[in-house]
Amino acid sequence: MLRGIAALLFFQLLGESLVFLTKLPVPGPVVGLVLLFAALQLARGRGRDSAPAIEAAAGALLGNLGLFFVPAGVGVVALWGVVQSEGAAIAIVLVISAVLTLAVTVWTFLAVRRLLGRKAGEA
Amino acid sequence: MRSPVDLWVYLSTSPLIWLTLTLCTWIGASEISRRLDRNPLANPVLTSILFLSLVMTIFDIPYERFFEGAQFVHFLLGPATVAIAVPLFRQWARVKRLLLPIAAALMVGSLMAVLSVVALGSLLGLSDEVMISFLPKSATAGVAMAISASLGGNPSLTAVLVILTGIIGALIVTPFMNLMQIRDYAARGFAVGLTSHGIGTARAYEVDETAGLFAGIAMALNAVATAAVVPIAAAWLIR
């Protein structure tokens, strides 16, 4: 567990450092995610599965993912004025954007899958 | 002997009480959600935020003081984001088999999640600060908040918009997909994970195992895609 946490923090540190040095407009933890994924693949390429060492820590964190956004969420009390004055517009954008995103994502996925399926059928 | 009032004054200024309260609130909220069969309206993130906000308001606690305790929980957003690499690594074989549908849906979906906010937000006259905070709302909270902060948005507002997007997606996905007569659970799961990150993924797992798996994949991929798309959209907006 402790090793897993240390590994996750280490890759976050790598990510943050890389972002700081290169001024990439991407959050450090995302770069850390990509680096950890690459490291796991690399280790597998050499015949080693390093995931179990991190799995317990990763599972504990991902199983309680929601908890970690509570502190920031409480901060919305401090910006109640903004939310109130633009509340109706915010609600409309939230709902329409969610419907549009769901729709185009599922249609694109299905269209490409069908296209590939047909080709595979012909071959 | 000191009075209980002195004790309250002493405790309310220390981080310990707010950290403890945050954790206990989360445990209670998760239990309520479990007992209500994970009804999206009883989402533990939403109920925790509402309850803690109520406590802060009633006892007139400044947010900064609450955050002194809660920051230890907040800090874990970073490693939790990195941890997404593990399920992605585990499921990579399935991802590779459907690489083209996944790549195409990811590209179209992450663009729609951001551009629909730009279009609708301009139409409805959202302020710049709200708009920037709004853009990354389909990414998982840690990523969305980091993007928002780096572009001059308000991470707290982003957190709330992320959570609301999660709940809305989780509520509408099943009736919407049934209405559209879509029975491909990989596609359904991918769409809700991309749109509604962790909250959508939790919902997908309740409906179907395959849907849950693809929702998790979509959440991980869209965290990366959103981090790439939003800075471009924001630069264009602020221009």
Side-chain angles (χ1 to χ4, degrees):
Chain A
M1 182 77 168
L2 200 58
R3 277 176 188 226
I5 292 175
L8 292 173
L9 289 174
F10 176 74
F11 276 95
Q12 187 185 352
L13 185 71
L14 274 185
E16 304 274 14
S17 308
L18 206 70
V19 166
F20 178 82
L21 291 174
T22 58
K23 294 185 181 168
L24 271 174
V26 177
V30 176
V31 178
L33 188 174
V34 175
L35 290 175
L36 175 58
F37 177 77
L40 288 170
Q41 290 284 15
L42 217 68
R44 178 152 68 185
R46 292 198 185 152
R48 265 209 337 248
D49 186 0
S50 319
I54 311 175
E55 218 136 51
L61 287 177
L62 291 177
N64 289 292
L65 197 58
L67 167 63
F68 310 133
F69 37 123
V70 170
V74 175
V76 86
V77 182
L79 14 120
W80 197 238
V82 183
V83 180
Q84 249 180 346
S85 63
E86 301 186 36
I90 289 174
I92 295 171
V93 178
L94 274 173
V95 173
I96 299 182
S97 176
V99 173
L100 287 175
T101 309
L102 273 177
V104 301
T105 308
V106 80
W107 288 331
T108 308
F109 193 103
L110 286 174
V112 176
R113 194 173 189 182
R114 268 184 212 135
L115 212 67
L116 290 175
R118 203 171 299 152
K119 261 188 204 159
E122 284 163 10
Chain B
M1 181 74 185
R2 288 160 166 160
S3 76
V5 177
D6 292 333
L7 176 67
W8 167 247
V9 170
Y10 168 68
L11 281 181
S12 70
T13 55
S14 93
L16 176 65
I17 186 171
W18 305 119
L19 178 59
T20 312
L21 183 68
T22 304
L23 288 177
C24 291
T25 302
W26 172 256
I27 292 166
S30 304
E31 186 59 31
I32 292 172
S33 160
R34 203 177 57 78
R35 289 209 188 153
L36 293 175
D37 291 325
R38 307 220 173 265
N39 185 316
L41 283 177
N43 181 275
V45 182
L46 187 68
T47 46
S48 295
I49 290 174
L50 289 177
F51 176 77
L52 288 168
S53 301
L54 195 70
V55 173
M56 297 303 121
T57 311
I58 290 173
F59 294 99
D60 204 17
I61 306 295
Y63 178 64
E64 292 72 25
R65 190 177 303 160
F66 164 77
F67 197 77
E68 274 171 30
Q71 63 177 320
F72 301 107
V73 170
H74 177 76
F75 178 78
L76 293 173
L77 267 176
T81 304
V82 178
I84 296 174
V86 176
L88 192 62
F89 171 73
R90 283 272 170 253
Q91 292 149 21
W92 190 240
R94 294 192 74 167
V95 177
K96 259 198 330 206
R97 233 173 292 146
L98 286 167
L99 203 56
L100 278 179
I102 285 175
L106 174 68
M107 219 182 300
V108 175
S110 63
L111 278 175
M112 178 55 91
V114 175
L115 296 184
S116 60
V117 172
V118 175
L120 293 164
S122 322
L123 204 68
L124 296 169
L126 286 183
S127 62
D128 277 355
E129 191 200 11
V130 173
M131 190 89 110
I132 298 289
S133 312
F134 218 134
L135 294 177
K137 52 107 178 103
S138 280
T140 186
V143 174
M145 285 162 59
I147 296 171
S148 171
S150 71
L151 296 171
N154 185 317
S156 285
L157 181 56
T158 300
V160 173
L161 295 171
V162 167
I163 295 159
L164 289 173
T165 295
I167 294 167
I168 291 168
L171 274 174
I172 62 177
V173 62
T174 306
F176 176 80
M177 295 299 171
N178 289 343
L179 191 74
M180 295 288 138
Q181 305 191 325
I182 291 164
R183 283 178 208 91
D184 183 331
Y185 279 99
R188 286 170 68 135
F190 194 86
V192 77
L194 186 142
T195 307
S196 293
H197 48 87
I199 298 172
T201 302
R203 173 69 192 154
Y205 265 116
E206 289 161 25
V207 177
D208 183 87
E209 180 82 14
T210 305
L213 191 70
F214 277 85
I217 293 166
M219 171 176 76
L221 291 174
N222 198 35
V224 182
T226 305
V229 172
V230 169
I232 299 167
W236 180 81
L237 261 180
I238 301 168
R239 175 180 65 138

